[in-house]
């Protein structure tokens, strides 16, 4: 039997039969899966380091420049906690959970930053598309679609909160 790739699934075919006779897959090639996962591991490690270093740098700078705003310090420290948790999961070789923690935790922190620091005009809002792309790459298309939908809801809420207050005009004067 020869192997044909049909819709991303390897199906064994006999030479004289045009239809698949089984849904069995060929034995996995560990070297091929390691090669496919290697760039994802590198991006996960770099992203974890960036979140960790960025969270520490932001916490230090905010404590120097904005000592009177403790909620923003909390947001920076939570970002450090997300980076540390992701780093710990990577060290335990649980990379999928580390990617979940990193992407979803960073998404939540970007939402919190949007609510605390300027709504849809907050600079951190620009990170949303990158998080959706990372979710699609590391966690799959279903997770990317869910995160994109949640992002649209969060941006809609930020837009609604940023609207100017309406002047109430009485109907009868």
């Amino acid at each position: 039997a020869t192997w044909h790739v049909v819709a991303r699934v390897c199906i064994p075919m006999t030479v004289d039969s045009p239809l698949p006779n089984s849904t069995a897959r060929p034995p996995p090639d560990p070297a091929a899966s390691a090669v496919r996962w290697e760039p994802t591991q590198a991006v996960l490690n770099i992203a974890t380091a960036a979140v960790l270093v960025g969270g520490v740098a932001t916490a230090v700078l905010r404590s120097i420049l904005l000592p009177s705003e403790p909620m923003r310090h909390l947001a920076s420290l939570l970002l450090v906690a997300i980076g540390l948790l992701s780093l710990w999961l990577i060290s335990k070789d649980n990379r999928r959970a580390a990617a979940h923690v990193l992407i979803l935790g960073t998404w939540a922190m970007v939402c919190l930053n949007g609510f605390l620091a300027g709504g849809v005009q907050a600079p951190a809002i620009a990170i949303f598309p990158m998080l959706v792309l990372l979710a699609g790459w590391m966690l799959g298309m279903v997770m990317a679609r869910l995160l994109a939908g949640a992002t649209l809801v969060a941006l809609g809420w930020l837009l609604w909160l940023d609207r100017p207050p309406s002047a109430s005009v009485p109907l009868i004067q």
Side-chain angles (χ1 to χ4, degrees), residues 75-160:
S76 298
L77 293 176
L78 286 173
L79 201 57
V80 171
I82 289 166
L84 287 174
L85 181 58
S86 181
L87 190 64
W88 179 75
L89 288 168
I90 289 171
S91 73
K92 295 294 181 187
D93 206 28
N94 196 349
R95 297 188 187 282
R96 186 153 179 89
H100 272 91
V101 166
L102 185 70
I103 292 169
L104 297 178
T106 304
W107 183 88
M109 294 312 303
V110 170
C111 286
L112 179 64
N113 193 16
F115 290 118
L116 294 177
V120 290
Q121 296 178 4
I125 297 300
I127 298 172
F128 277 139
M130 182 191 62
L131 291 173
V132 172
L133 287 173
L134 277 176
W137 181 9
M138 293 184 184
L139 305 176
M141 285 304 298
V142 172
M143 195 65 189
R145 288 180 180 141
L146 288 173
L147 198 60
T151 299
L152 289 175
V153 169
L155 287 174
W157 193 15
L158 286 173
L159 277 171
W160 183 76

